[in-house]
Amino acid sequence: MIQADSDSSRRVAYFYNRLIGKFHYGKEHPMKPKRIAMAHSLIVNFGLYRSLDVYLIREAQLEELKKFHDPEYVTYLSQYMSENKVNFVKEYCSTNNDGVIPENLLEEYKLITKWSQNKSSKNLNTEYKVGDSADNPTFQGLFSYCQFSAGASIDCAHTILTGQADIAINWSGGLHHAKKKEAAGFCYINDIVLCILELLRIYVRVLYVDIDCHHGDGVEEAFYLTNRVMTLSFHQYGDDFFPGTGQLNSVGLGVGRYYAVNVPLKPGISDGPYLELFKKVTSRVMETFRPDCVVIQCGADSLSLDRLGALNLSIKGHGQCITYMKQFGVPLILLGGGGYTIQNVSRCWAYETGICLGQNIDEPIPANDIYYQNYKGDYHLHFPIQENVENRNKSEDLNKIVSQVYDHLKNLEN
Ligand code: V1S
Ligand code: CA
Ligand code: ZN
């Protein structure tokens, strides 16, 4: 049964495009865009879509991406796509057309081939970290994938700014590691930074909260020198865990000093201690920073049983972070992010879509869901809590983090 809470009146904008689930980083790669299609399917089959304002995701244009990213990096990513196209056209012609280029593709083919031949001999892939490691491979449609992810996060900002929504959701966003001119950690274009820049056109202060188990380094770096964006990341830290940044004492620089907040954690933290910490930190941040809008990166790799992360949250625990932020009554933007046990990612993001609407979904996966077989073995929406995982965060360590964060926040100007 779906239970509605008292404030189901909030308008929720939800961004989706069925093409998102078709992109593929490669067979061995842990990032699976299919999880977004799986989440969407649950959102539809649980009936949540009836209460959402559903928007079709569009592709962000090059000029929009250049608002944060280096123009040459954006051009490179877009042209790489064109190279893909040349290969596609060549393949198409050799198999279907005896090598003859169809007239409608000829002009484009010539232009792209010319660019490919003229491009400088230095290895652009290495410079921009695209395709030079297993983390950020090139794949068919890469640039469109980036354009969709960014287009939706930018439009989330627009629905909030224009008052069309109180909460906006883009599960295909949250790609928090991308830098100004560098891909990193499965991220190529930083949709979050683009979303926040859009919000800053009108709003004075924006709070960014990141519950992905990795440090939100790309977003932190982009706003490290400003006092208009506070970045707050909870993440696993230590033993060479990626990306290796996000120490408690990384607090920002210049006027941005104390506007970066980091909560580094050891493996195994469960709902109880995580939520206690989350509430203590976010309540003080909300009180001192008083943001006009909150952007939450909802990476689901902080869930128990994730393929990469080693935190131990349940879906309900992860969702309580959203419930807690919602009760401040400030406009919210929810973005996706990591999450590598894909059946749990889709469960989690469908559940959190319900939270935004004030609808608490709790039933088993509907049998008519097209991805039903992916949940084989456990058709419940919530997986059982892992009792046998050791929480390596002592309560003294967590208390120390809270008191350090409070000390830092005391330095904020009023
Ligand atoms: N942890 C981890 C991990 N696993 C992989 C990986 C595994 C198989 C592949 F075929 C490709 C990649 N890479 C990593 C991490 C990057 C994690 C990115 C998380 C992204 C996010 O959830 O925060 C947001 C979407 N990379 C590394 O640890 C770097 C290496 C140091 C080790 C792995 N090799 C592949 C690259 C170098
Ligand atoms: Ca994080
Ligand atoms: Zn992550």
Side-chain angles (χ1 to χ4, degrees):
M1 198 189 72
I2 295 178
Q3 291 176 334
D5 70 16
S6 53
D7 72 335
S8 46
S9 58
R10 289 199 209 181
R11 291 190 67 176
V12 182
Y14 167 78
F15 288 82
Y16 185 68
N17 188 316
R18 66 189 175 82
L19 293 174
I20 281 286
K22 306 278 180 209
F23 296 102
H24 203 250
Y25 280 65
K27 199 162 170 281
E28 303 303 323
H29 202 286
M31 178 57 105
K32 308 283 181 202
K34 176 184 170 186
R35 68 211 170 114
I36 295 150
M38 289 170 65
H40 178 77
S41 190
L42 292 180
I43 289 164
V44 171
N45 285 307
F46 277 116
L48 296 173
Y49 74 95
R50 282 190 234 117
S51 316
L52 294 166
D53 291 332
V54 180
Y55 291 79
L56 182 68
I57 297 182
R58 67 177 177 93
E59 292 168 297
Q61 298 307 296
L62 272 72
E63 287 314 307
E64 297 179 274
L65 305 180
K66 290 176 189 172
K67 297 245 160 83
F68 169 57
H69 291 281
D70 180 89
E72 286 186 13
Y73 174 59
V74 174
T75 306
Y76 168 70
L77 274 179
S78 68
Q79 286 174 334
Y80 173 78
M81 270 304 297
S82 304
E83 256 189 314
N84 258 354
K85 215 171 195 174
V86 171
N87 294 335
F88 172 77
V89 171
K90 269 188 199 156
E91 237 169 72
Y92 173 88
C93 296
S94 60
T95 50
N96 300 299
N97 218 3
D98 296 332
V100 181
I101 315 278
E103 206 150 315
N104 60 335
L105 293 172
L106 196 57
E107 267 317 295
E108 196 178 6
Y109 178 81
K110 278 186 196 156
L111 271 171
I112 297 164
T113 311
K114 197 168 156 206
W115 173 80
S116 301
Q117 286 158 356
N118 286 348
K119 94 180 161 194
S120 108
S121 58
K122 76 179 165 177
N123 190 342
L124 287 165
N125 291 15
T126 308
E127 188 183 345
Y128 298 129
K129 308 266 173 69
V130 175
D132 75 334
S133 82
D135 276 1
N136 288 85
T138 51
F139 55 85
Q140 191 77 49
L142 166 60
F143 188 60
S144 294
Y145 168 74
C146 297
Q147 288 178 291
F148 280 127
S149 162
S153 294
I154 293 167
D155 285 352
C156 277
H158 290 153
T159 56
I160 296 290
L161 288 173
T162 54
Q164 292 172 90
D166 307 299
I167 304 179
I169 303 174
N170 170 26
W171 296 130
S172 65
L175 302 177
H176 59 175
H177 299 302
K179 311 292 186 315
K180 188 179 160 82
K181 49 177 164 177
E182 209 173 282
F186 317 163
C187 311
Y188 304 81
I189 289 289
N190 201 315
D191 61 290
I192 310 169
V193 172
L194 294 168
C195 168
I196 295 174
L197 287 174
E198 211 55 29
L199 293 170
L200 291 175
R201 293 173 66 177
I202 307 279
Y203 290 146
V204 180
R205 288 179 300 278
V206 175
L207 171 65
Y208 172 67
V209 181
D210 184 318
I211 59 171
D212 188 291
C213 78
H214 297 95
H215 177 227
D217 58 350
V219 185
E220 180 183 278
E221 185 179 301
F223 299 112
Y224 212 58
L225 299 172
T226 178
N227 54 7
R228 290 184 62 200
V229 179
M230 179 172 281
T231 59
L232 164 59
S233 175
F234 295 80
H235 45 268
Q236 189 176 329
Y237 179 80
D239 297 329
D240 284 336
F241 192 71
F242 185 87
T245 47
Q247 300 90 321
L248 192 54
N249 62 3
S250 302
V251 293
L253 278 173
V255 294
R257 191 161 168 79
Y258 303 118
Y259 289 84
V261 181
N262 282 297
V263 180
L265 298 164
K266 299 203 178 86
I269 194 162
S270 56
D271 291 351
Y274 188 94
L275 285 163
E276 191 182 328
L277 182 68
F278 184 85
K279 289 178 183 176
K280 282 180 178 164
V281 172
T282 53
S283 56
R284 185 62 66 93
V285 160
M286 290 300 287
E287 195 182 303
T288 49
F289 185 59
R290 291 172 289 106
D292 300 303
C293 180
V294 181
V295 177
I296 314 180
Q297 197 270 21
C298 305
D301 46 10
S302 41
L303 292 176
S304 189
L305 302 169
D306 187 74
R307 244 180 93 183
L308 301 192
L311 306 186
N312 191 24
L313 298 187
S314 71
I315 290 174
K316 285 190 179 157
H318 198 276
Q320 276 188 55
C321 297
I322 310 307
T323 308
Y324 191 70
M325 294 314 295
K326 193 183 159 202
Q327 51 95 29
F328 290 104
V330 171
L332 286 185
I333 295 180
L334 266 56
L335 306 175
Y340 306 101
T341 300
I342 63 171
Q343 316 87 293
N344 292 344
V345 180
S346 53
R347 285 175 163 114
C348 181
W349 290 346
Y351 179 68
E352 289 174 352
T353 305
I355 289 177
C356 293
L357 291 166
Q359 297 181 22
N360 177 22
I361 53 168
D362 207 349
E363 312 90 292
I365 310 293
N368 60 335
D369 191 291
I370 49 167
Y371 297 104
Y372 191 68
Q373 287 310 319
N374 288 256
Y375 303 95
K376 204 169 168 186
D378 184 2
Y379 294 109
H380 294 98
L381 187 69
H382 295 279
F383 56 77
I385 291 162
Q386 301 296 108
E387 305 284 7
N388 55 350
V389 175
E390 185 204 354
N391 175 11
R392 290 178 40 203
N393 301 271
K394 296 200 203 86
S395 47
E396 310 87 274
D397 299 341
L398 299 178
N399 290 338
K400 224 192 255 164
I401 292 177
V402 174
S403 79
Q404 276 278 331
V405 169
Y406 282 9
D407 279 351
H408 292 160
L409 293 175
K410 278 186 197 141
N411 295 293
L412 297 195
E413 282 170 30
N414 277 315

